Amino acid sequence: SGTVTHKKYVRDPDLARIGFGQSISCTGMQLAAAISACINGGELIKPYVVSDIISQDGEVLLHNERTVVRRVISESTSATMRTLMQGVVENGSGKNAQIYGYSVGGKTGTSQKYEEDGSVSNTKLIASFVGFAPVDNPQFLCLIMVDEPNVPQVYGSTVAAPYVQQVLSGALALMG
């Protein structure tokens, strides 16, 4: 599960770190759900892993429906977020996620991990990229997180974004 310090324990230095993503954590599913809310018009949707489970004889054993948990941002703020995230791919650090003929939005991430003694590590990192397409009507969202990549320079833009590009390209091609 994710970790957020209760507000009664948060001090001024914590506020500064929380503002840019330190001292908090979330699971990949939580991050994907949050980004989805940012780009889908502002609604937090209950996530699920599979839409249907169907038996060998064709009986639907489980069918998940779209379930809105609550509105978290306005539709206009969501539209602004889509535009900003498109800029990350077209003009910023997410260029490795571009797909010819499609509008793609996304955001890089480079997260520090903690050492066993609870201190922030200077060497253990998670590189990530979350991308979605098409920007004007998002149909696909892909999050790739690489835990402690063994490369000289660890950035979400170089370690994860190319794989998001591959996954989204394949999904878009399948949808025609």
Side-chain angles (χ1 to χ4, degrees), residues 16-56:
R17 290 197 313 268
I18 290 169
F20 60 86
Q22 287 185 341
S23 300
I24 60 173
S25 68
C26 64
T27 66
M29 186 65 82
Q30 290 169 326
L31 181 56
I35 297 297
S36 179
C38 285
I39 64 168
N40 73 8
E43 295 178 326
L44 179 62
I45 307 298
K46 180 181 177 185
Y48 54 85
V49 177
V50 297
S51 59
D52 296 291
I53 298 176
I54 302 172
S55 70
Q56 288 182 342

PDB file of all heavy atoms in Angstrom, residues 16-56:
ATOM      1  N   ALA A  16       7.972  20.573   2.369  1.00  0.00           N
ATOM      2  CA  ALA A  16       8.806  20.875   1.202  1.00  0.00           C
ATOM      3  C   ALA A  16       9.070  19.605   0.396  1.00  0.00           C
ATOM      4  O   ALA A  16       8.944  19.598  -0.831  1.00  0.00           O
ATOM      5  CB  ALA A  16      10.116  21.514   1.642  1.00  0.00           C
ATOM      6  N   ARG A  17       9.398  18.516   1.057  1.00  0.00           N
ATOM      7  CA  ARG A  17       9.703  17.261   0.362  1.00  0.00           C
ATOM      8  C   ARG A  17       8.449  16.643  -0.253  1.00  0.00           C
ATOM      9  O   ARG A  17       8.486  16.122  -1.368  1.00  0.00           O
ATOM     10  CB  ARG A  17      10.387  16.283   1.315  1.00  0.00           C
ATOM     11  CG  ARG A  17      11.791  16.696   1.689  1.00  0.00           C
ATOM     12  CD  ARG A  17      12.608  15.563   2.281  1.00  0.00           C
ATOM     13  NE  ARG A  17      11.934  14.790   3.297  1.00  0.00           N
ATOM     14  CZ  ARG A  17      11.986  15.030   4.610  1.00  0.00           C
ATOM     15  NH1 ARG A  17      12.683  16.043   5.071  1.00  0.00           N
ATOM     16  NH2 ARG A  17      11.352  14.246   5.461  1.00  0.00           N
ATOM     17  N   ILE A  18       7.328  16.691   0.464  1.00  0.00           N
ATOM     18  CA  ILE A  18       6.083  16.120  -0.042  1.00  0.00           C
ATOM     19  C   ILE A  18       5.654  16.845  -1.320  1.00  0.00           C
ATOM     20  O   ILE A  18       5.138  16.229  -2.253  1.00  0.00           O
ATOM     21  CB  ILE A  18       4.974  16.175   1.036  1.00  0.00           C
ATOM     22  CG1 ILE A  18       5.301  15.191   2.159  1.00  0.00           C
ATOM     23  CG2 ILE A  18       3.607  15.867   0.435  1.00  0.00           C
ATOM     24  CD1 ILE A  18       4.426  15.343   3.391  1.00  0.00           C
ATOM     25  N   GLY A  19       5.934  18.148  -1.388  1.00  0.00           N
ATOM     26  CA  GLY A  19       5.553  18.950  -2.551  1.00  0.00           C
ATOM     27  C   GLY A  19       6.159  18.471  -3.854  1.00  0.00           C
ATOM     28  O   GLY A  19       5.603  18.698  -4.925  1.00  0.00           O
ATOM     29  N   PHE A  20       7.309  17.811  -3.813  1.00  0.00           N
ATOM     30  CA  PHE A  20       7.887  17.284  -5.051  1.00  0.00           C
ATOM     31  C   PHE A  20       8.025  15.762  -5.024  1.00  0.00           C
ATOM     32  O   PHE A  20       8.768  15.174  -5.794  1.00  0.00           O
ATOM     33  CB  PHE A  20       9.203  17.971  -5.431  1.00  0.00           C
ATOM     34  CG  PHE A  20      10.313  17.860  -4.436  1.00  0.00           C
ATOM     35  CD1 PHE A  20      11.167  16.780  -4.430  1.00  0.00           C
ATOM     36  CD2 PHE A  20      10.514  18.874  -3.512  1.00  0.00           C
ATOM     37  CE1 PHE A  20      12.197  16.687  -3.518  1.00  0.00           C
ATOM     38  CE2 PHE A  20      11.550  18.799  -2.597  1.00  0.00           C
ATOM     39  CZ  PHE A  20      12.394  17.693  -2.599  1.00  0.00           C
ATOM     40  N   GLY A  21       7.266  15.110  -4.132  1.00  0.00           N
ATOM     41  CA  GLY A  21       7.119  13.674  -4.213  1.00  0.00           C
ATOM     42  C   GLY A  21       7.953  12.841  -3.267  1.00  0.00           C
ATOM     43  O   GLY A  21       7.890  11.619  -3.326  1.00  0.00           O
ATOM     44  N   GLN A  22       8.756  13.459  -2.401  1.00  0.00           N
ATOM     45  CA  GLN A  22       9.481  12.669  -1.415  1.00  0.00           C
ATOM     46  C   GLN A  22       8.638  12.535  -0.157  1.00  0.00           C
ATOM     47  O   GLN A  22       7.741  13.319   0.092  1.00  0.00           O
ATOM     48  CB  GLN A  22      10.826  13.312  -1.068  1.00  0.00           C
ATOM     49  CG  GLN A  22      11.848  13.185  -2.153  1.00  0.00           C
ATOM     50  CD  GLN A  22      13.209  13.715  -1.726  1.00  0.00           C
ATOM     51  OE1 GLN A  22      13.350  14.469  -0.776  1.00  0.00           O
ATOM     52  NE2 GLN A  22      14.223  13.320  -2.468  1.00  0.00           N
ATOM     53  N   SER A  23       8.947  11.546   0.640  1.00  0.00           N
ATOM     54  CA  SER A  23       8.266  11.269   1.914  1.00  0.00           C
ATOM     55  C   SER A  23       6.861  10.706   1.723  1.00  0.00           C
ATOM     56  O   SER A  23       6.103  10.627   2.669  1.00  0.00           O
ATOM     57  CB  SER A  23       8.189  12.511   2.799  1.00  0.00           C
ATOM     58  OG  SER A  23       9.473  12.988   3.091  1.00  0.00           O
ATOM     59  N   ILE A  24       6.509  10.368   0.496  1.00  0.00           N
ATOM     60  CA  ILE A  24       5.237   9.718   0.212  1.00  0.00           C
ATOM     61  C   ILE A  24       5.498   8.582  -0.765  1.00  0.00           C
ATOM     62  O   ILE A  24       6.522   8.565  -1.451  1.00  0.00           O
ATOM     63  CB  ILE A  24       4.180  10.686  -0.386  1.00  0.00           C
ATOM     64  CG1 ILE A  24       4.675  11.291  -1.707  1.00  0.00           C
ATOM     65  CG2 ILE A  24       3.834  11.782   0.600  1.00  0.00           C
ATOM     66  CD1 ILE A  24       3.630  12.103  -2.423  1.00  0.00           C
ATOM     67  N   SER A  25       4.605   7.636  -0.809  1.00  0.00           N
ATOM     68  CA  SER A  25       4.744   6.564  -1.790  1.00  0.00           C
ATOM     69  C   SER A  25       3.360   6.048  -2.173  1.00  0.00           C
ATOM     70  O   SER A  25       2.381   6.284  -1.471  1.00  0.00           O
ATOM     71  CB  SER A  25       5.595   5.419  -1.233  1.00  0.00           C
ATOM     72  OG  SER A  25       4.916   4.753  -0.192  1.00  0.00           O
ATOM     73  N   CYS A  26       3.312   5.369  -3.302  1.00  0.00           N
ATOM     74  CA  CYS A  26       2.069   4.751  -3.741  1.00  0.00           C
ATOM     75  C   CYS A  26       2.415   3.522  -4.561  1.00  0.00           C
ATOM     76  O   CYS A  26       3.554   3.358  -5.004  1.00  0.00           O
ATOM     77  CB  CYS A  26       1.222   5.728  -4.549  1.00  0.00           C
ATOM     78  SG  CYS A  26       1.953   6.278  -6.092  1.00  0.00           S
ATOM     79  N   THR A  27       1.446   2.678  -4.762  1.00  0.00           N
ATOM     80  CA  THR A  27       1.629   1.508  -5.622  1.00  0.00           C
ATOM     81  C   THR A  27       1.472   1.947  -7.081  1.00  0.00           C
ATOM     82  O   THR A  27       0.949   3.030  -7.378  1.00  0.00           O
ATOM     83  CB  THR A  27       0.591   0.424  -5.309  1.00  0.00           C
ATOM     84  OG1 THR A  27      -0.708   0.925  -5.670  1.00  0.00           O
ATOM     85  CG2 THR A  27       0.624   0.020  -3.837  1.00  0.00           C
ATOM     86  N   GLY A  28       1.896   1.086  -7.972  1.00  0.00           N
ATOM     87  CA  GLY A  28       1.708   1.365  -9.390  1.00  0.00           C
ATOM     88  C   GLY A  28       0.239   1.515  -9.752  1.00  0.00           C
ATOM     89  O   GLY A  28      -0.142   2.386 -10.537  1.00  0.00           O
ATOM     90  N   MET A  29      -0.620   0.684  -9.157  1.00  0.00           N
ATOM     91  CA  MET A  29      -2.058   0.772  -9.431  1.00  0.00           C
ATOM     92  C   MET A  29      -2.616   2.098  -8.927  1.00  0.00           C
ATOM     93  O   MET A  29      -3.448   2.728  -9.596  1.00  0.00           O
ATOM     94  CB  MET A  29      -2.800  -0.401  -8.789  1.00  0.00           C
ATOM     95  CG  MET A  29      -4.268  -0.447  -9.141  1.00  0.00           C
ATOM     96  SD  MET A  29      -4.608  -0.745 -10.887  1.00  0.00           S
ATOM     97  CE  MET A  29      -4.458  -2.522 -10.949  1.00  0.00           C
ATOM     98  N   GLN A  30      -2.172   2.552  -7.746  1.00  0.00           N
ATOM     99  CA  GLN A  30      -2.621   3.845  -7.225  1.00  0.00           C
ATOM    100  C   GLN A  30      -2.166   4.984  -8.137  1.00  0.00           C
ATOM    101  O   GLN A  30      -2.932   5.913  -8.407  1.00  0.00           O
ATOM    102  CB  GLN A  30      -2.092   4.059  -5.802  1.00  0.00           C
ATOM    103  CG  GLN A  30      -2.741   3.166  -4.774  1.00  0.00           C
ATOM    104  CD  GLN A  30      -2.024   3.206  -3.430  1.00  0.00           C
ATOM    105  OE1 GLN A  30      -0.809   3.343  -3.356  1.00  0.00           O
ATOM    106  NE2 GLN A  30      -2.795   3.083  -2.359  1.00  0.00           N
ATOM    107  N   LEU A  31      -0.935   4.912  -8.619  1.00  0.00           N
ATOM    108  CA  LEU A  31      -0.431   5.951  -9.515  1.00  0.00           C
ATOM    109  C   LEU A  31      -1.200   5.955 -10.831  1.00  0.00           C
ATOM    110  O   LEU A  31      -1.602   7.016 -11.325  1.00  0.00           O
ATOM    111  CB  LEU A  31       1.063   5.751  -9.763  1.00  0.00           C
ATOM    112  CG  LEU A  31       1.748   6.775 -10.666  1.00  0.00           C
ATOM    113  CD1 LEU A  31       1.560   8.204 -10.152  1.00  0.00           C
ATOM    114  CD2 LEU A  31       3.233   6.442 -10.799  1.00  0.00           C
ATOM    115  N   ALA A  32      -1.438   4.779 -11.390  1.00  0.00           N
ATOM    116  CA  ALA A  32      -2.201   4.698 -12.640  1.00  0.00           C
ATOM    117  C   ALA A  32      -3.613   5.243 -12.462  1.00  0.00           C
ATOM    118  O   ALA A  32      -4.129   5.963 -13.323  1.00  0.00           O
ATOM    119  CB  ALA A  32      -2.235   3.257 -13.151  1.00  0.00           C
ATOM    120  N   ALA A  33      -4.253   4.932 -11.346  1.00  0.00           N
ATOM    121  CA  ALA A  33      -5.606   5.447 -11.076  1.00  0.00           C
ATOM    122  C   ALA A  33      -5.592   6.965 -10.925  1.00  0.00           C
ATOM    123  O   ALA A  33      -6.502   7.649 -11.413  1.00  0.00           O
ATOM    124  CB  ALA A  33      -6.186   4.793  -9.825  1.00  0.00           C
ATOM    125  N   ALA A  34      -4.579   7.498 -10.271  1.00  0.00           N
ATOM    126  CA  ALA A  34      -4.480   8.954 -10.094  1.00  0.00           C
ATOM    127  C   ALA A  34      -4.264   9.656 -11.432  1.00  0.00           C
ATOM    128  O   ALA A  34      -4.916  10.666 -11.726  1.00  0.00           O
ATOM    129  CB  ALA A  34      -3.348   9.293  -9.120  1.00  0.00           C
ATOM    130  N   ILE A  35      -3.371   9.138 -12.245  1.00  0.00           N
ATOM    131  CA  ILE A  35      -3.125   9.740 -13.559  1.00  0.00           C
ATOM    132  C   ILE A  35      -4.368   9.612 -14.431  1.00  0.00           C
ATOM    133  O   ILE A  35      -4.731  10.545 -15.161  1.00  0.00           O
ATOM    134  CB  ILE A  35      -1.899   9.102 -14.247  1.00  0.00           C
ATOM    135  CG1 ILE A  35      -0.628   9.359 -13.440  1.00  0.00           C
ATOM    136  CG2 ILE A  35      -1.753   9.604 -15.674  1.00  0.00           C
ATOM    137  CD1 ILE A  35      -0.236  10.815 -13.303  1.00  0.00           C
ATOM    138  N   SER A  36      -5.040   8.489 -14.349  1.00  0.00           N
ATOM    139  CA  SER A  36      -6.280   8.308 -15.108  1.00  0.00           C
ATOM    140  C   SER A  36      -7.288   9.393 -14.745  1.00  0.00           C
ATOM    141  O   SER A  36      -7.933   9.983 -15.624  1.00  0.00           O
ATOM    142  CB  SER A  36      -6.857   6.922 -14.840  1.00  0.00           C
ATOM    143  OG  SER A  36      -8.070   6.744 -15.541  1.00  0.00           O
ATOM    144  N   ALA A  37      -7.418   9.682 -13.448  1.00  0.00           N
ATOM    145  CA  ALA A  37      -8.336  10.742 -13.021  1.00  0.00           C
ATOM    146  C   ALA A  37      -7.905  12.095 -13.563  1.00  0.00           C
ATOM    147  O   ALA A  37      -8.749  12.932 -13.903  1.00  0.00           O
ATOM    148  CB  ALA A  37      -8.425  10.784 -11.495  1.00  0.00           C
ATOM    149  N   CYS A  38      -6.607  12.309 -13.674  1.00  0.00           N
ATOM    150  CA  CYS A  38      -6.102  13.585 -14.210  1.00  0.00           C
ATOM    151  C   CYS A  38      -6.452  13.767 -15.676  1.00  0.00           C
ATOM    152  O   CYS A  38      -6.605  14.898 -16.127  1.00  0.00           O
ATOM    153  CB  CYS A  38      -4.584  13.663 -14.047  1.00  0.00           C
ATOM    154  SG  CYS A  38      -4.040  13.994 -12.375  1.00  0.00           S
ATOM    155  N   ILE A  39      -6.587  12.680 -16.421  1.00  0.00           N
ATOM    156  CA  ILE A  39      -6.767  12.806 -17.868  1.00  0.00           C
ATOM    157  C   ILE A  39      -8.155  12.430 -18.361  1.00  0.00           C
ATOM    158  O   ILE A  39      -8.485  12.690 -19.511  1.00  0.00           O
ATOM    159  CB  ILE A  39      -5.705  11.983 -18.627  1.00  0.00           C
ATOM    160  CG1 ILE A  39      -5.866  10.491 -18.353  1.00  0.00           C
ATOM    161  CG2 ILE A  39      -4.306  12.472 -18.297  1.00  0.00           C
ATOM    162  CD1 ILE A  39      -5.065   9.579 -19.246  1.00  0.00           C
ATOM    163  N   ASN A  40      -8.992  11.827 -17.518  1.00  0.00           N
ATOM    164  CA  ASN A  40     -10.289  11.323 -17.995  1.00  0.00           C
ATOM    165  C   ASN A  40     -11.443  12.296 -17.771  1.00  0.00           C
ATOM    166  O   ASN A  40     -12.593  11.926 -17.906  1.00  0.00           O
ATOM    167  CB  ASN A  40     -10.612   9.973 -17.352  1.00  0.00           C
ATOM    168  CG  ASN A  40     -11.007  10.084 -15.888  1.00  0.00           C
ATOM    169  OD1 ASN A  40     -11.193  11.166 -15.352  1.00  0.00           O
ATOM    170  ND2 ASN A  40     -11.127   8.943 -15.230  1.00  0.00           N
ATOM    171  N   GLY A  41     -11.150  13.502 -17.397  1.00  0.00           N
ATOM    172  CA  GLY A  41     -12.204  14.465 -17.099  1.00  0.00           C
ATOM    173  C   GLY A  41     -12.320  14.751 -15.613  1.00  0.00           C
ATOM    174  O   GLY A  41     -13.144  15.555 -15.202  1.00  0.00           O
ATOM    175  N   GLY A  42     -11.517  14.066 -14.795  1.00  0.00           N
ATOM    176  CA  GLY A  42     -11.450  14.381 -13.381  1.00  0.00           C
ATOM    177  C   GLY A  42     -12.089  13.398 -12.422  1.00  0.00           C
ATOM    178  O   GLY A  42     -12.182  13.668 -11.229  1.00  0.00           O
ATOM    179  N   GLU A  43     -12.507  12.232 -12.928  1.00  0.00           N
ATOM    180  CA  GLU A  43     -13.163  11.261 -12.051  1.00  0.00           C
ATOM    181  C   GLU A  43     -12.202  10.145 -11.643  1.00  0.00           C
ATOM    182  O   GLU A  43     -11.538   9.540 -12.494  1.00  0.00           O
ATOM    183  CB  GLU A  43     -14.369  10.636 -12.753  1.00  0.00           C
ATOM    184  CG  GLU A  43     -15.459  11.631 -13.044  1.00  0.00           C
ATOM    185  CD  GLU A  43     -16.631  11.025 -13.771  1.00  0.00           C
ATOM    186  OE1 GLU A  43     -16.424  10.102 -14.601  1.00  0.00           O
ATOM    187  OE2 GLU A  43     -17.764  11.464 -13.511  1.00  0.00           O
ATOM    188  N   LEU A  44     -12.141   9.875 -10.337  1.00  0.00           N
ATOM    189  CA  LEU A  44     -11.385   8.739  -9.837  1.00  0.00           C
ATOM    190  C   LEU A  44     -12.231   7.501 -10.073  1.00  0.00           C
ATOM    191  O   LEU A  44     -13.371   7.415  -9.597  1.00  0.00           O
ATOM    192  CB  LEU A  44     -11.077   8.905  -8.349  1.00  0.00           C
ATOM    193  CG  LEU A  44     -10.295   7.768  -7.698  1.00  0.00           C
ATOM    194  CD1 LEU A  44      -8.913   7.614  -8.331  1.00  0.00           C
ATOM    195  CD2 LEU A  44     -10.165   8.007  -6.197  1.00  0.00           C
ATOM    196  N   ILE A  45     -11.695   6.553 -10.829  1.00  0.00           N
ATOM    197  CA  ILE A  45     -12.402   5.328 -11.192  1.00  0.00           C
ATOM    198  C   ILE A  45     -11.812   4.171 -10.385  1.00  0.00           C
ATOM    199  O   ILE A  45     -10.596   4.061 -10.252  1.00  0.00           O
ATOM    200  CB  ILE A  45     -12.245   5.025 -12.700  1.00  0.00           C
ATOM    201  CG1 ILE A  45     -12.649   6.226 -13.555  1.00  0.00           C
ATOM    202  CG2 ILE A  45     -13.001   3.762 -13.089  1.00  0.00           C
ATOM    203  CD1 ILE A  45     -14.087   6.642 -13.422  1.00  0.00           C
ATOM    204  N   LYS A  46     -12.677   3.317  -9.869  1.00  0.00           N
ATOM    205  CA  LYS A  46     -12.208   2.135  -9.156  1.00  0.00           C
ATOM    206  C   LYS A  46     -11.462   1.249 -10.148  1.00  0.00           C
ATOM    207  O   LYS A  46     -12.039   0.803 -11.150  1.00  0.00           O
ATOM    208  CB  LYS A  46     -13.389   1.373  -8.545  1.00  0.00           C
ATOM    209  CG  LYS A  46     -12.977   0.135  -7.799  1.00  0.00           C
ATOM    210  CD  LYS A  46     -14.181  -0.593  -7.230  1.00  0.00           C
ATOM    211  CE  LYS A  46     -13.732  -1.870  -6.540  1.00  0.00           C
ATOM    212  NZ  LYS A  46     -14.874  -2.656  -6.070  1.00  0.00           N
ATOM    213  N   PRO A  47     -10.185   0.977  -9.874  1.00  0.00           N
ATOM    214  CA  PRO A  47      -9.427   0.169 -10.841  1.00  0.00           C
ATOM    215  C   PRO A  47      -9.734  -1.322 -10.709  1.00  0.00           C
ATOM    216  O   PRO A  47     -10.122  -1.802  -9.644  1.00  0.00           O
ATOM    217  CB  PRO A  47      -7.967   0.449 -10.457  1.00  0.00           C
ATOM    218  CG  PRO A  47      -8.012   0.846  -9.028  1.00  0.00           C
ATOM    219  CD  PRO A  47      -9.362   1.478  -8.784  1.00  0.00           C
ATOM    220  N   TYR A  48      -9.572  -2.028 -11.799  1.00  0.00           N
ATOM    221  CA  TYR A  48      -9.646  -3.481 -11.785  1.00  0.00           C
ATOM    222  C   TYR A  48      -8.656  -4.012 -12.800  1.00  0.00           C
ATOM    223  O   TYR A  48      -8.222  -3.303 -13.700  1.00  0.00           O
ATOM    224  CB  TYR A  48     -11.065  -3.997 -12.042  1.00  0.00           C
ATOM    225  CG  TYR A  48     -11.732  -3.477 -13.289  1.00  0.00           C
ATOM    226  CD1 TYR A  48     -11.527  -4.088 -14.519  1.00  0.00           C
ATOM    227  CD2 TYR A  48     -12.596  -2.391 -13.238  1.00  0.00           C
ATOM    228  CE1 TYR A  48     -12.148  -3.620 -15.659  1.00  0.00           C
ATOM    229  CE2 TYR A  48     -13.231  -1.914 -14.373  1.00  0.00           C
ATOM    230  CZ  TYR A  48     -12.997  -2.539 -15.583  1.00  0.00           C
ATOM    231  OH  TYR A  48     -13.606  -2.080 -16.719  1.00  0.00           O
ATOM    232  N   VAL A  49      -8.286  -5.267 -12.647  1.00  0.00           N
ATOM    233  CA  VAL A  49      -7.231  -5.843 -13.476  1.00  0.00           C
ATOM    234  C   VAL A  49      -7.790  -6.465 -14.750  1.00  0.00           C
ATOM    235  O   VAL A  49      -7.206  -6.342 -15.811  1.00  0.00           O
ATOM    236  CB  VAL A  49      -6.400  -6.872 -12.672  1.00  0.00           C
ATOM    237  CG1 VAL A  49      -5.346  -7.529 -13.536  1.00  0.00           C
ATOM    238  CG2 VAL A  49      -5.744  -6.190 -11.462  1.00  0.00           C
ATOM    239  N   VAL A  50      -8.927  -7.120 -14.664  1.00  0.00           N
ATOM    240  CA  VAL A  50      -9.555  -7.734 -15.837  1.00  0.00           C
ATOM    241  C   VAL A  50     -10.989  -7.242 -15.944  1.00  0.00           C
ATOM    242  O   VAL A  50     -11.644  -6.973 -14.941  1.00  0.00           O
ATOM    243  CB  VAL A  50      -9.536  -9.273 -15.789  1.00  0.00           C
ATOM    244  CG1 VAL A  50      -8.121  -9.810 -15.808  1.00  0.00           C
ATOM    245  CG2 VAL A  50     -10.284  -9.811 -14.597  1.00  0.00           C
ATOM    246  N   SER A  51     -11.469  -7.119 -17.166  1.00  0.00           N
ATOM    247  CA  SER A  51     -12.852  -6.668 -17.340  1.00  0.00           C
ATOM    248  C   SER A  51     -13.834  -7.827 -17.195  1.00  0.00           C
ATOM    249  O   SER A  51     -14.927  -7.648 -16.668  1.00  0.00           O
ATOM    250  CB  SER A  51     -13.033  -5.989 -18.690  1.00  0.00           C
ATOM    251  OG  SER A  51     -12.710  -6.870 -19.731  1.00  0.00           O
ATOM    252  N   ASP A  52     -13.445  -9.014 -17.675  1.00  0.00           N
ATOM    253  CA  ASP A  52     -14.350 -10.160 -17.623  1.00  0.00           C
ATOM    254  C   ASP A  52     -13.578 -11.443 -17.339  1.00  0.00           C
ATOM    255  O   ASP A  52     -12.425 -11.586 -17.770  1.00  0.00           O
ATOM    256  CB  ASP A  52     -15.070 -10.345 -18.963  1.00  0.00           C
ATOM    257  CG  ASP A  52     -15.979  -9.190 -19.298  1.00  0.00           C
ATOM    258  OD1 ASP A  52     -17.000  -9.036 -18.611  1.00  0.00           O
ATOM    259  OD2 ASP A  52     -15.656  -8.446 -20.239  1.00  0.00           O
ATOM    260  N   ILE A  53     -14.250 -12.354 -16.662  1.00  0.00           N
ATOM    261  CA  ILE A  53     -13.773 -13.729 -16.541  1.00  0.00           C
ATOM    262  C   ILE A  53     -14.873 -14.601 -17.133  1.00  0.00           C
ATOM    263  O   ILE A  53     -16.025 -14.541 -16.686  1.00  0.00           O
ATOM    264  CB  ILE A  53     -13.487 -14.124 -15.079  1.00  0.00           C
ATOM    265  CG1 ILE A  53     -12.367 -13.243 -14.503  1.00  0.00           C
ATOM    266  CG2 ILE A  53     -13.124 -15.606 -14.987  1.00  0.00           C
ATOM    267  CD1 ILE A  53     -12.073 -13.492 -13.035  1.00  0.00           C
ATOM    268  N   ILE A  54     -14.512 -15.359 -18.146  1.00  0.00           N
ATOM    269  CA  ILE A  54     -15.486 -16.163 -18.881  1.00  0.00           C
ATOM    270  C   ILE A  54     -15.058 -17.622 -18.808  1.00  0.00           C
ATOM    271  O   ILE A  54     -13.898 -17.953 -19.068  1.00  0.00           O
ATOM    272  CB  ILE A  54     -15.586 -15.690 -20.346  1.00  0.00           C
ATOM    273  CG1 ILE A  54     -15.973 -14.202 -20.375  1.00  0.00           C
ATOM    274  CG2 ILE A  54     -16.575 -16.548 -21.134  1.00  0.00           C
ATOM    275  CD1 ILE A  54     -15.910 -13.577 -21.745  1.00  0.00           C
ATOM    276  N   SER A  55     -15.988 -18.484 -18.473  1.00  0.00           N
ATOM    277  CA  SER A  55     -15.691 -19.918 -18.379  1.00  0.00           C
ATOM    278  C   SER A  55     -15.469 -20.499 -19.765  1.00  0.00           C
ATOM    279  O   SER A  55     -15.778 -19.869 -20.781  1.00  0.00           O
ATOM    280  CB  SER A  55     -16.834 -20.646 -17.675  1.00  0.00           C
ATOM    281  OG  SER A  55     -17.982 -20.669 -18.510  1.00  0.00           O
ATOM    282  N   GLN A  56     -14.975 -21.731 -19.807  1.00  0.00           N
ATOM    283  CA  GLN A  56     -14.718 -22.394 -21.087  1.00  0.00           C
ATOM    284  C   GLN A  56     -15.986 -22.585 -21.907  1.00  0.00           C
ATOM    285  O   GLN A  56     -15.930 -22.619 -23.130  1.00  0.00           O
ATOM    286  CB  GLN A  56     -14.044 -23.747 -20.861  1.00  0.00           C
ATOM    287  CG  GLN A  56     -12.601 -23.616 -20.411  1.00  0.00           C
ATOM    288  CD  GLN A  56     -11.929 -24.970 -20.233  1.00  0.00           C
ATOM    289  OE1 GLN A  56     -12.584 -25.994 -20.116  1.00  0.00           O
ATOM    290  NE2 GLN A  56     -10.606 -24.956 -20.206  1.00  0.00           N
TER     291      GLN A  56
END
